[in-house]
């Protein structure tokens, strides 16, 4: 083959491969023949040889004894091929090394003086372990398979000869006095590799592919190596996919990764339960763990974030909470506007507890927690907390200025301003005493002039028998010569004029809004509508089995409110906003309406995707409104194009319409998360007003999934029987799937 080109050599190699596929007995002869070709520098030849070696040693049709001889013969060639940097070549070489490692190890056990073979095997192992650290994601997954083989080989197997498998290679087969591979060194290396393999569960940002590959490797080790099964199971049962931090930031991908991890763990532990010696020890813990994993299917991304934040709070975090001299944590107060939650929160904002959404707790549970917490507090701690909140409030909003006007130097009486005179209350003296000392001078610090906190104390002659009403008292204050306007501290002079106009107050006209302010107000309105809709859903459907007859009757009276907000938003997003534009020349108004309509659609889409199974009716209502609006627009366009006002033809294509766009987007987001038992998906397809060939083609991925193909073909069968307009598209897809299956066979 020296005079042949690379393409001609590959053609001959492919012919030899077809011969091997027909008769596996030619494997040893062809493997020995390609070893000189694999050492050539041409990348295409090396790639072909690496693939053939990986497939050849993975085949079970080759005799075990002959495979061991071939593995020793190929070791030098594999070491040379590891000089390549092509990822496909490296993957095949790692897979081939995983297949031959037990064979080479068994050869070294029987040949105590073969140092050269051991040296080459050690060099290959070091090379692969180095790629495990620095390689790409695909390379690392192949390395996990190799590490699983190394751990299995360098760990003691069963000592009972009746249960031992002749093809299983373990540390038990190594002689005690072997000069090249001592027991202690090999077993220690295996334990180190096992710890490194299981460390994937401890990583701050986990990756689904690495977790899945580790679970596959762990299943084989648990089954074949009982000495390390307890360690592996303890690590898996301590791993919680709900509270783990995922490397991806995409919420859809994160939900998919959670689903895959949950499924792989469930399959692994289900197989472990079938093993009698493990099930007797870990059966109860595994059953409890599997019950918790079932709940992961129903969690949305927001719920996962809240659970992660709640479960990350532990005793260690609580102990690290700092307290001030008052006995409670007082983080620095923020400037500007504060919410009530920020005002009364006394814990460190950096603690994860501050991210917990208390609104998710039922009112009864929240009340019980509050009462129990107050009962557990001492009076001193509670007083300190109140003082801390008061100090923070006074710092943000200084106490009101109290103006003293003395009309008598010696005899004076404090007369509070009031709007009525009642002789029965003349002797009333309020018990409340402010916890601050009023200033004795007028030049007090500046304050926010709020009507609820702006108070004055009027000192009049003790001999005055009648209380002044509020207006008279204020006018008297303003008429006093001692009160100077300059005494009121104000930087911008807004409070210089303290006169009171007795005329009727007229509210000024609001300032005109620009485009950004309109959008902001509109988004706030939409958010409030969604909040009201969510509250109605929780009230209407929560604990429906416990509702009495009167409750059901009351709910029937307000049942129209269950979906009226969806109809409102759907029509507002499809045709409600655009109908307000009478003049198409109003470009700015048109742009604002388009942005608002898009915002409504995105909010509806996100609302549906968070819980598709429970909100399928919302999706159907919305998409029906979209379809109807598209039809009306197409009729208007055709009527304008015809110029005769004819709007009778409504059979135009809507391939590029908003209906098709959002319906396809929902299908793309829902299909990856469907389960074989999700018959609600069939209802969704049946209630869609129109199905296009593009929508039907999205069922291909569902039919190609072995675990969910039953649901995919059931959907096609339903559409063929009950949706005649799409029958042809469904039959074409089924024919295409059948041809793909035949080609793979």
């Amino acid at each position: 083959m020296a005079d042949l080109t690379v393409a001609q050599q590959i053609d001959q190699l492919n012919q030899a491969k077809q011969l091997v596929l027909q008769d596996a007995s030619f494997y040893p002869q062809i493997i020995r023949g390609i070893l000189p070709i694999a050492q050539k520098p041409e990348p295409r030849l090396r790639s072909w040889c690496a693939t053939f070696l990986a497939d050849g040693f993975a085949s079970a049709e080759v005799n075990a004894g002959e495979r061991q001889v071939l593995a020793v013969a190929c070791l030098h060639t594999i070491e040379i091929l590891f000089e390549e940097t092509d990822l496909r070549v490296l993957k095949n070489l790692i897979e081939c090394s995983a297949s031959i490692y037990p064979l080479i190890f068994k050869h070294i056990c029987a040949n105590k003086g073969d140092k050269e073979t051991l040296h080459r095997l050690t060099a290959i192992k070091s090379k692969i372990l180095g790629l495990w650290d620095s390689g790409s994601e695909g390379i690392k997954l192949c390395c996990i398979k190799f590490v699983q083989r190394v751990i299995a080989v360098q760990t003691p197997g069963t000592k009972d000869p009746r249960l031992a498998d002749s093809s299983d290679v373990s540390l038990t087969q190594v002689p005690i006095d072997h000069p090249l591979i001592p027991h202690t060194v090999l077993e220690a290396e295996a334990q180190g590799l096992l710890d490194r393999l299981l460390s994937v569960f401890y990583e701050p940002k986990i990756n689904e592919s690495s977790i899945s590959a580790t679970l596959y490797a762990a299943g084989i080790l648990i089954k074949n190596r009982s000495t390390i099964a307890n360690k592996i199971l303890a690590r898996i049962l301590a791993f919680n996919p709900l509270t783990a931090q995922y490397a991806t930031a995409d919420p859809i991908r994160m939900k998919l990764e959670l689903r895959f991890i949950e499924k792989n763990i469930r399959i692994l532990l289900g197989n472990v339960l079938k093993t009698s010696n493990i099930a007797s020890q870990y059966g109860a813990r595994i059953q409890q763990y599997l019950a918790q994993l079932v709940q992961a299917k129903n969690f949305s991304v927001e719920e996962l974030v809240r659970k992660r934040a709640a479960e990350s709070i532990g005793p260690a975090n609580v102990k690290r909470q700092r307290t001030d001299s008052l006995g409670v944590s007082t983080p620095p107060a923020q400037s500007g506007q504060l919410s009530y939650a920020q005002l009364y929160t006394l814990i460190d904002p950096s603690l994860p507890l501050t991210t917990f959404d208390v609104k998710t707790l039922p009112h009864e549970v929240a009340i019980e927690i509050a009462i129990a917490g107050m009962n557990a507090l001492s009076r001193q701690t509670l007083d300190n907390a109140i003082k801390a909140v008061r100090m923070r409030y006074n710092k943000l909003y200084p106490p009101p200025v109290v103006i003293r006007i003395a009309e008598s130097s010696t005899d004076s009486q404090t007369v509070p301003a009031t709007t009525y005179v009642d002789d029965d209350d003349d002797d009333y003296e309020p018990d409340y005493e402010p916890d601050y000392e009023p200033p004795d001078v007028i030049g007090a610090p500046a304050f926010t002039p709020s009507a609820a906190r702006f108070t004055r104390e009027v000192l009049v002659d003790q001999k005055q028998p009648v209380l002044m009403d509020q207006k008279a008292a204020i006018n008297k204050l303003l008429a006093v010569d001692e009160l100077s306007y300059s005494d009121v501290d104000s930087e911008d002079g807004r409070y210089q004029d303290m006169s009171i106009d007795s005329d009727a107050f007229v509210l000024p006209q609001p300032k005109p809004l620009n485009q950004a302010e309109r959008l902001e107000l509109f988004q706030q309105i939409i958010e409030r509508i969604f909040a009201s809709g969510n509250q109605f859903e929780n009230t209407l459907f929560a604990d429906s089995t416990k509702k009495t007859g009167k409750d059901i009757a009351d709910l029937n009276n307000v049942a129209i409110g269950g979906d009226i907000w969806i109809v409102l938003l759907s029509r507002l997003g499809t045709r409600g906003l655009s109908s307000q534009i009478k003049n198409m020349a109003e470009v700015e108004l048109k742009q604002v309406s388009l942005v608002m309509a898009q915002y409504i659609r995105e909010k509806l889409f996100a609302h549906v995707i968070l819980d598709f199974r429970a909100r399928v009716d919302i999706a159907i209502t919305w998409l029906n409104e979209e379809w109807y609006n598209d039809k009306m627009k197409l009729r208007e366009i055709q009527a304008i194009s015809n110029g005769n006002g004819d709007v009778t033809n409504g059979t135009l294509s809507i391939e590029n319409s908003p209906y098709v766009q959002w319906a396809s987007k929902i299908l793309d987001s829902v299909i990856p998360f469907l389960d074989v038992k999700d018959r609600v998906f069939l209802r969704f397809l049946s209630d869609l007003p129109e199905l296009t060939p593009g929508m039907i083609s999205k069922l291909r991925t569902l039919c190609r999934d072995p675990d969910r193909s039953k649901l995919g073909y059931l959907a096609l069968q339903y559409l063929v029987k009950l949706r005649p307009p799409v029958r042809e598209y469904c039959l074409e897809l089924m024919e295409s799937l059948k041809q793909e299956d035949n080609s793979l066979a």
Side-chain angles (χ1 to χ4, degrees):
M1 299 179 68
D3 299 333
L4 300 177
T5 63
V6 175
Q8 292 174 342
Q9 294 182 48
I10 291 179
D11 290 339
Q12 291 188 1
L13 291 174
N14 288 332
Q15 294 177 4
K17 183 178 180 180
Q18 292 296 328
L19 180 63
V20 169
L21 293 177
Q22 296 175 2
D23 188 358
S25 61
F26 289 99
Y27 255 122
Q29 180 180 352
I30 295 178
I31 286 178
R32 290 188 177 92
I34 68 171
L35 292 181
I37 301 175
Q39 298 181 15
K40 292 183 178 181
E42 286 79 4
R44 294 179 59 188
L45 293 177
R46 288 193 169 192
S47 177
W48 192 96
C49 294
T51 303
F52 187 81
L53 289 175
D55 296 340
F57 284 103
S59 176
E61 299 180 1
V62 183
N63 182 271
E66 198 153 8
R67 289 176 64 198
Q68 181 175 333
V69 176
L70 289 173
V72 176
C74 296
L75 196 60
H76 178 60
T77 302
I78 294 174
E79 186 180 5
I80 295 176
L81 290 176
F82 261 108
E83 299 174 358
E84 283 290 325
T85 58
D86 184 73
L87 296 181
R88 182 179 301 180
V89 175
L90 291 177
K91 288 180 181 180
N92 288 322
L93 291 176
I94 295 172
E95 292 178 1
C96 180
S97 301
S99 300
I100 68 174
Y101 189 85
L103 303 175
I104 302 296
F105 191 85
K106 190 175 183 179
H107 168 80
I108 296 175
C109 290
N111 299 271
K112 300 181 179 181
D114 196 349
K115 296 183 179 180
E116 183 180 0
T117 302
L118 178 62
H119 176 73
R120 289 175 177 173
L121 181 64
T122 304
I124 292 175
K125 181 167 62 174
S126 300
K127 179 68 174 179
I128 295 175
L129 294 180
L131 292 174
W132 195 16
D133 289 329
S134 59
S136 62
E137 183 177 356
I139 295 294
K140 291 180 179 180
L141 298 182
C142 295
C143 293
I144 291 176
K145 177 64 178 177
F146 175 80
V147 169
Q148 177 261 318
R149 287 292 179 89
V150 174
I151 295 173
V153 169
Q154 297 182 190
T155 304
T158 178
K159 297 181 180 180
D160 191 345
R162 298 171 298 178
L163 302 177
D165 186 1
S166 58
S167 61
D168 184 27
V169 181
S170 66
L171 194 61
T172 308
Q173 301 177 359
V174 179
I176 300 297
D177 57 346
H178 200 289
L180 301 179
I181 44 177
H183 268 254
T184 55
V185 176
L186 294 178
E187 190 170 4
E189 183 184 15
Q191 291 295 328
L193 291 176
L194 179 61
D195 293 336
R196 186 178 172 187
L197 180 66
L198 298 178
S199 65
V200 68
F201 298 106
Y202 294 95
E203 292 180 357
K205 298 289 185 180
I206 65 171
N207 184 278
E208 180 273 331
S209 57
S210 299
I211 294 289
S212 299
T214 303
L215 291 173
Y216 296 151
I220 300 175
L221 294 176
I222 291 174
K223 180 180 178 181
N224 298 330
R225 297 293 181 264
S226 58
T227 55
I228 59 176
N230 295 336
K231 183 177 183 179
I232 298 174
L233 275 178
R235 179 56 242 164
I236 295 176
L237 294 178
F239 173 68
N240 190 348
L242 297 180
T243 59
Q245 296 284 346
Y246 291 84
T248 179
D250 185 8
I252 301 298
R253 182 177 178 84
M254 186 175 74
K255 193 173 181 181
L256 276 175
E257 290 187 0
L258 172 64
R259 177 187 176 92
F260 294 151
I261 292 175
E262 176 268 334
K263 181 180 178 181
N264 292 331
I265 294 178
R266 180 160 40 86
I267 293 174
L268 171 62
L269 297 181
N271 292 331
V272 169
L273 288 176
K274 299 177 183 179
T275 307
S276 59
N277 57 343
I278 300 296
S280 59
Q281 184 177 358
Y282 285 93
R285 290 184 59 186
I286 291 176
Q287 292 289 357
Q288 181 181 4
Y289 187 84
L290 292 176
Q292 296 175 354
L293 284 182
V294 173
Q295 302 175 0
K297 296 182 179 180
N298 303 323
F299 288 147
S300 63
V301 177
E302 287 76 7
E303 290 171 332
L304 294 179
V305 174
R306 287 198 298 265
K307 283 184 172 290
R308 184 182 302 125
E311 296 202 12
S312 62
I313 301 172
N317 293 333
V318 176
K319 291 180 180 179
R320 285 194 298 267
Q321 181 177 351
R322 295 183 178 180
T323 59
D324 62 357
S325 59
L326 293 177
V328 292
S329 175
T330 56
Q334 304 178 13
S335 60
Q337 296 182 352
L338 282 181
S339 64
Y340 283 109
Q342 293 172 326
L343 177 62
Y344 288 97
T345 299
L346 299 178
I347 61 176
D348 191 348
S350 62
L351 293 178
L353 181 60
T354 56
T355 61
F356 178 72
D357 190 1
V358 185
K359 293 184 292 185
T360 58
L361 295 176
H363 290 174
E364 297 81 2
V365 177
I367 292 174
E368 291 179 1
I369 293 175
I371 294 175
M374 294 182 67
N375 290 334
L377 289 177
S378 64
R379 180 60 182 270
Q380 181 65 27
T381 304
L382 183 59
D383 291 341
N384 291 341
I386 295 175
K387 290 181 181 179
V389 174
R390 181 180 298 164
M391 291 171 56
R392 182 184 300 176
Y393 184 83
N394 291 337
K395 183 177 181 180
L396 293 173
Y397 305 103
V401 174
V402 179
I403 306 174
R404 297 180 180 271
I405 304 174
E407 296 188 353
S408 177
S409 59
T410 56
D411 299 331
S412 63
Q413 178 182 359
T414 301
V415 182
T418 179
T419 58
Y420 63 92
V421 178
D422 190 350
D423 295 336
D424 295 336
D425 295 336
D426 288 345
D427 299 331
Y428 171 71
E429 295 182 1
D431 297 333
Y432 172 75
E433 295 181 1
D435 56 355
Y436 58 88
E437 285 296 331
D440 294 330
V441 295
I442 298 177
F447 61 96
T448 304
S450 175
R453 297 182 287 108
F454 190 86
T455 61
R456 297 181 180 92
E457 212 175 64
V458 184
L459 301 182
V460 298
D461 193 350
Q462 185 178 4
K463 299 179 180 180
Q464 184 175 351
V466 182
L467 293 175
M468 296 178 294
D469 61 1
Q470 185 176 7
K471 186 174 182 180
I474 295 177
N475 290 333
K476 186 174 181 62
L477 279 173
L478 299 178
V480 177
D481 294 336
E482 287 80 1
L483 178 61
S484 174
Y485 295 127
S486 60
D487 292 333
V488 181
D489 186 9
S490 175
E491 295 179 359
D492 54 1
R494 289 182 299 173
Y495 312 128
Q496 298 297 325
D497 187 6
M498 300 180 63
S499 61
I500 296 180
D501 189 3
S502 60
D503 297 337
F505 176 74
V506 179
L507 186 68
Q509 293 294 329
K511 65 177 182 180
L513 301 177
N514 56 30
Q515 181 175 350
E517 292 173 340
R518 290 178 183 177
L519 292 176
E520 182 180 0
L521 291 177
F522 178 80
Q523 292 176 0
Q524 294 176 1
I525 294 173
I526 298 301
E527 291 289 348
R528 287 197 296 269
I529 294 177
F530 271 101
S532 301
N534 293 335
Q535 183 178 4
F536 181 86
E537 289 180 0
N538 298 333
T539 305
L540 182 62
F541 300 108
D543 297 333
S544 58
T545 58
K546 301 180 181 179
K547 298 184 184 297
T548 62
K550 182 178 181 301
D551 296 332
I552 299 299
D554 294 339
L555 290 176
N556 291 334
N557 293 333
V558 297
I560 189 174
D563 58 355
I564 192 65
W565 67 281
I566 295 298
V567 177
L568 171 64
L569 288 177
S570 301
R571 294 183 179 179
L572 189 62
T574 54
R575 55 189 184 273
L577 293 171
S578 59
S579 63
Q580 302 298 325
I581 305 177
K582 305 301 181 183
N583 183 9
M584 298 304 293
E586 299 177 4
V587 179
E588 182 179 358
L589 183 58
K590 182 179 179 181
Q591 293 177 351
V592 173
S593 65
L594 293 177
V595 174
M596 291 178 179
Q598 182 70 11
Y599 180 77
I600 292 177
R601 290 185 173 107
E602 291 176 354
K603 293 294 294 184
L604 285 171
F605 171 75
H607 182 75
V608 169
I609 294 304
L610 283 179
D611 193 357
F612 175 75
R613 295 174 180 86
R615 298 170 179 172
V616 63
D617 292 330
I618 297 177
I620 294 171
T621 302
W622 167 37
L623 293 177
N624 274 274
E625 293 290 340
E626 291 281 2
W627 177 84
Y628 178 78
N629 181 62
D630 293 339
K631 284 294 184 181
M632 293 299 101
K633 286 184 178 180
L634 290 172
R635 288 184 179 184
E636 293 176 2
I637 294 173
Q638 185 187 17
I640 295 174
S641 61
N642 293 337
N644 54 9
D646 183 14
V647 293
T648 58
N649 187 2
T651 60
L652 297 178
S653 174
I654 58 171
E655 286 292 337
N656 298 323
S657 65
Y659 163 75
V660 175
Q661 174 189 352
W662 290 101
S664 302
K665 195 172 182 179
I666 289 178
L667 289 174
D668 291 335
S669 302
V670 167
I671 288 178
F673 303 103
L674 290 176
D675 193 79
V676 70
K677 299 179 181 179
D678 283 333
R679 301 301 175 91
V680 69
F681 180 68
L682 301 180
R683 179 171 170 244
F684 175 71
L685 290 178
S686 65
D687 289 342
L688 286 179
E690 185 172 349
L691 291 171
T692 63
M695 296 181 190
I696 300 297
S697 64
K698 296 182 184 300
L699 299 176
R700 177 185 296 272
T701 57
L702 198 60
C703 297
R704 298 300 301 170
D705 191 339
D707 296 335
R708 306 180 298 162
S709 59
K710 182 179 179 180
L711 178 63
Y713 282 106
L714 189 62
L716 291 175
Q717 181 182 2
Y718 172 83
L719 296 177
V720 168
K721 289 183 178 181
L722 301 178
R723 297 290 294 265
V726 297
R727 181 178 300 166
E728 181 180 354
Y729 307 142
C730 296
L731 292 177
E732 290 178 357
L733 177 59
M734 296 175 72
E735 181 66 23
S736 175
L737 292 171
K738 183 178 179 181
Q739 292 177 0
E740 291 180 4
D741 292 338
N742 294 336
S743 62
L744 293 176

